[in-house]
Amino acid sequence: MSDKEYVATIKKICELLQSDPTPGVIQGLCDSFANLSIHLKSGLFLEVFETTISNIPFAALFSLLAAPDNKLVVSVADATEQLLKPVAWSMVHQTFEEYIIQGLAHPHPTVKCLVLSQFLKFAGESQRFRVYDVVTIAAGRSEDIFELFRQKGIIDIFVKEGDSGDILAVMSWHELLPIFCASTAAFNHFDSLGIFSKSLQQLESSDAETTSATDSLTRVSILKLFSRMVDAPGVKPAEFFAKYDIAPVLGKFMSLEGSEGELKSTAISCLGMIGNNTAVLEYLAAERTALDALVETYGRSIGQLRVECLQTIACIFGHAPEPTSTSSQACYELYSQLAQGRFLVSVTQEIMKGFEESCVAGFAAIQKMAMHAWGVREIASYKTVVNFLLTRDSSRVKAAQQWQFSTVQTIAESKDAKSAFAPDDYSRLTRYAKEGPYYVNTTPQVALESS
């Protein structure tokens, strides 16, 4: 055997691996693997690589990654990462799949990075995004892990996916970005790269009337990105939407001609998702563009578009169990404009059409409206609406019956109900709430015999 330094290091590792794991042996392995990494990073990589794998099987290296000593884990992981650089993914996957799966669940971030770097050898979009799924979960647990992924270049690789010419990759990227923003550090990093400003510019500068299918899909994907940012743990929604004024864009897309189109529908849905947050709703109420567009769209809508509008209205009305005075006032102003001030009559007529989605969306909107003091008073002022809500219809699907019950229950349990409703109506409301959603009157009927 040659007396070259790297040969001596490899020989030392082989000897130590045959010894009992005493503290001295563990320290010796730490030092030896650290030296091996240095040799692998020198200009003699091929010679060191071939000598190493001829004497130390990869299985032995992977086994050492399970060692309880963190210092040893780090030194072995560093050396293993160097040794795996020229190894194709097909070999890694076929030969070491068991270790790869174990590595994904390894508690030490260095080992997780080692495994992820192997996944990134994938050429296919679905495989790459399997890696990013793992990265987002791990990074969301700790800002330190996110920083480690950033230092390893994994975050930079992910960011480049946003400029991919592959629309499916871009859509997957938009879906994962809010999940990545589980920490303030992660969000600040992506924000500093101008990702969100660039995305908003793409929406603002686009001509919604004349675009290709790819452009349309991209805009839909960006709208969904912004709607998901409201729930990202590392984001302060009010500050985010004050900086990235999405409301005019939503208004533009909701005002598109025609009652169909994914872009229009997505804009309506996006408004509901961000309007379900108290602080963002207050921003929308002050800005007005998007809410005004919703009022106009609801007035002209029919069929599925009407259902989508009702779902968004329900999201806005139900933004919080205990709304602030400002956000509740915003809801009242929206309600007052819908259907030219006759929203309750309009939504009741929609429910009476009998279609499942219309029934569920309509009852949901009224139920969320009843979470506000003004909502309870408005419902009480429409005797025909009260009678309608208290009339059971067993022909409706169970989901609709459940939502009808939930609506009545919310009204009955409101602290404003007793003073808002006439005594007999209030009594009927409380009785309905006690009877449950599927109550059937079993009072026997007298049968008349025919002569």
Side-chain angles (χ1 to χ4, degrees), residues 413-441:
E413 293 178 352
S414 169
K415 64 180 185 295
D416 302 289
K418 193 168 186 178
S419 60
F421 285 88
D424 60 327
D425 288 339
Y426 179 71
S427 177
R428 292 167 66 201
L429 286 165
T430 54
R431 183 169 65 251
Y432 189 117
K434 290 178 182 177
E435 291 170 344
Y438 311 119
Y439 173 79
V440 176
N441 189 344

Side-chain angles (χ1 to χ4, degrees), residues 138-395:
R141 293 173 180 167
S142 166
E143 291 190 355
D144 291 337
I145 293 179
F146 176 83
E147 178 59 21
L148 180 60
F149 288 158
R150 190 190 66 78
Q151 292 175 1
K152 289 285 185 178
I154 293 175
I155 301 301
D156 289 339
I157 295 172
F158 171 73
V159 169
K160 290 178 182 177
E161 296 285 358
D163 295 321
S164 168
D166 182 347
I167 183 59
L168 294 178
V170 172
M171 292 170 67
S172 296
W173 182 74
H174 282 143
E175 187 173 341
L176 282 175
L177 190 55
I179 304 174
F180 248 125
C181 295
S183 68
T184 302
F187 166 70
N188 288 340
H189 176 72
F190 292 124
D191 195 28
S192 69
L193 298 176
I195 289 174
F196 304 108
S197 59
K198 179 181 177 182
S199 296
L200 184 58
Q201 287 169 9
Q202 285 181 268
L203 294 175
E204 292 173 334
S205 62
S206 62
D207 182 355
E209 300 291 348
T210 56
T211 56
S212 67
T214 298
D215 290 337
S216 181
L217 287 172
T218 300
R219 287 197 300 274
V220 166
S221 185
I222 294 174
L223 283 176
K224 291 179 179 179
L225 161 66
F226 277 95
S227 67
R228 294 186 186 105
M229 290 305 295
V230 75
D231 295 320
V235 174
K236 295 179 179 178
E239 294 180 9
F240 180 84
F241 287 100
K243 183 176 181 179
Y244 301 110
D245 190 8
I246 191 72
V249 174
L250 294 178
K252 177 176 73 172
F253 292 149
M254 281 193 289
S255 300
L256 290 172
E257 292 297 324
S259 60
E260 298 181 358
E262 188 176 6
L263 189 57
K264 187 185 188 93
S265 296
T266 303
I268 294 170
S269 175
C270 179
L271 177 60
M273 291 180 70
I274 67 174
N276 193 239
N277 177 279
T278 299
V280 180
L281 175 57
E282 293 177 1
Y283 143 75
L284 291 169
E287 204 281 338
R288 290 305 314 170
T289 306
L291 293 181
D292 287 346
L294 176 62
V295 171
E296 180 185 353
T297 303
Y298 178 80
R300 294 186 286 107
S301 65
I302 58 174
Q304 183 59 32
L305 187 62
R306 173 60 63 93
V307 171
E308 292 166 358
C309 287
L310 285 172
Q311 290 170 340
T312 286
I313 292 166
C315 286
I316 293 173
F317 285 173
H319 64 274
E322 297 182 6
T324 65
S325 58
T326 303
S327 66
S328 187
Q329 179 63 25
C331 291
Y332 177 69
E333 291 174 2
L334 173 61
Y335 162 79
S336 300
Q337 292 179 298
L338 289 165
Q340 298 179 325
R342 292 180 59 80
F343 175 71
L344 274 173
V345 174
S346 169
V347 74
T348 301
Q349 292 172 343
E350 194 67 30
I351 295 171
M352 291 176 67
K353 292 178 181 178
F355 299 112
E356 179 177 355
E357 285 190 315
S358 297
C359 290
V360 170
F363 280 127
I366 300 175
Q367 189 264 335
K368 300 305 180 185
M369 178 178 161
M371 296 170 67
H372 303 263
W374 61 261
V376 173
R377 292 193 296 270
E378 286 293 319
I379 294 168
S381 69
Y382 283 85
K383 182 70 174 180
T384 55
V385 173
V386 175
N387 288 336
F388 171 76
L389 291 174
L390 291 170
T391 301
R392 297 179 184 273
D393 185 350
S394 59
S395 68

